[in-house]
Amino acid sequence: MQDELSGTILWLTGWSMSDKVFDQLRELLPDFNHVTVNYSTVDSLEDMLYLTETSAKDFISSGGGPILVGGWSLGGLLALRLATLDLADGLLLFSATARFTRPKEQMDRGWADGYVRQMIHGIRKERQAVEKKFQQLVFTETESGMGHRESLPLIGNWTTSALIAGLEVLRGVDCLSRLPEIDCPVLLVHGTEDKVCPYSAAEELLMQLPRAKLLTIDGSGHAPFLGREAQLAESLRGWWHDR
């Protein structure tokens, strides 16, 4: 059976999100093996980085074939970090950025660090309100009207410590200077109306990654794969096989 597979996709989900958001896309990709890293209960930034790193290393040591790391948002940043450690044969990045928090002159590519610190403070006081406010940023008004918001898992999938750890990763992990060193193929999927990781962050990745291709989803927000799984499965398959 392994000989019939195109490789393994190691899935890394976005902040506060269950990996179930990828279920339909995985069903449409039966020619890949699928593995998930569940960091929804980690206790710290260090634990989240360690878990993702050791998961990739364990798979590679098992000799299971090429590994494609699929990351969404926070998961995309973690995927880029794995690539800088030579722990990926390819990257599939949804709404990703190489650095989430930005200085004032780069607000078109990320968020202010102070805002993320406010989220951490808010989580300690009223975490559900913070998660709800974040989920409201994921979709455009049009996408919400189409029912995409109902595709997201219910709030409360992550522990409080994991939510804080994820935000600390977004504050502390910076892969920008390492992008030219990432020599594996990268497929970027990004919506033009993304309010979480702005589209300019995808253009930055395209410019600095040696082997990147950008699939632009016009009018989409921060979850460009939801509702477009069939199209993206074919795009991913064709891109991966070409390489």
Side-chain angles (χ1 to χ4, degrees), residues 112-174:
D113 182 69
Y115 187 84
V116 181
R117 284 190 280 109
Q118 288 178 6
M119 289 180 67
I120 293 173
H121 179 72
I123 285 169
R124 294 190 173 111
K125 296 177 62 177
E126 195 175 357
R127 52 170 286 172
Q128 287 192 353
V130 176
E131 289 185 75
K132 183 177 180 180
K133 185 175 181 180
F134 175 76
Q135 286 201 3
Q136 290 172 345
L137 295 174
V138 171
F139 299 111
T140 65
E141 289 186 12
T142 300
E143 289 172 330
S144 294
M146 295 170 62
H148 285 4
R149 186 167 294 173
E150 285 68 36
S151 302
L152 292 183
L154 296 175
I155 288 172
N157 284 284
W158 288 32
T159 62
T160 298
S161 63
L163 290 172
I164 293 173
L167 291 175
E168 292 292 3
V169 168
L170 292 175
R171 292 186 64 213
V173 174
D174 183 352

Side-chain angles (χ1 to χ4, degrees), residues 12 35 37 42 57 71 94 99 113 131 133 161 166 203 236:
L12 307 176
V35 177
V37 180
V42 299
K57 286 180 177 178
F94 298 111
R99 178 183 177 185
D113 182 69
E131 289 185 75
K133 185 175 181 180
S161 63
E203 294 178 319
L236 165 63

Side-chain angles (χ1 to χ4, degrees), residues 17-61:
M17 301 295 176
S18 166
D19 80 298
K20 291 184 181 299
V21 296
F22 299 129
D23 279 354
Q24 188 172 348
L25 188 54
R26 286 187 286 229
E27 288 177 7
L28 292 167
L29 293 167
D31 43 328
F32 289 85
N33 182 37
H34 299 281
V35 177
T36 296
V37 180
N38 181 8
Y39 35 72
S40 65
T41 60
V42 299
D43 290 325
S44 66
L45 173 154
E46 292 79 13
D47 287 347
M48 187 172 286
L49 298 182
Y50 178 79
L51 178 60
T52 54
E53 186 176 333
T54 55
S55 296
K57 286 180 177 178
D58 288 347
F59 178 81
I60 292 170
S61 65

Side-chain angles (χ1 to χ4, degrees), residues 127-232:
R127 52 170 286 172
Q128 287 192 353
V130 176
E131 289 185 75
K132 183 177 180 180
K133 185 175 181 180
F134 175 76
Q135 286 201 3
Q136 290 172 345
L137 295 174
V138 171
F139 299 111
T140 65
E141 289 186 12
T142 300
E143 289 172 330
S144 294
M146 295 170 62
H148 285 4
R149 186 167 294 173
E150 285 68 36
S151 302
L152 292 183
L154 296 175
I155 288 172
N157 284 284
W158 288 32
T159 62
T160 298
S161 63
L163 290 172
I164 293 173
L167 291 175
E168 292 292 3
V169 168
L170 292 175
R171 292 186 64 213
V173 174
D174 183 352
C175 297
L176 267 177
S177 64
R178 303 288 303 276
L179 293 180
E181 304 169 21
I182 297 177
D183 194 37
C184 65
V186 182
L187 180 62
L188 306 166
V189 182
H190 216 107
T192 57
E193 304 301 318
D194 193 333
K195 296 178 182 178
V196 180
C197 292
Y199 185 72
S200 293
E203 294 178 319
E204 179 180 66
L205 289 171
L206 181 65
M207 289 174 54
Q208 298 196 41
L209 288 165
R211 300 174 62 189
K213 175 182 177 180
L214 174 59
L215 179 59
T216 299
I217 310 297
D218 289 325
S220 175
H222 190 55
F225 53 92
L226 288 176
R228 303 176 181 88
E229 285 87 353
Q231 170 196 345
L232 290 177

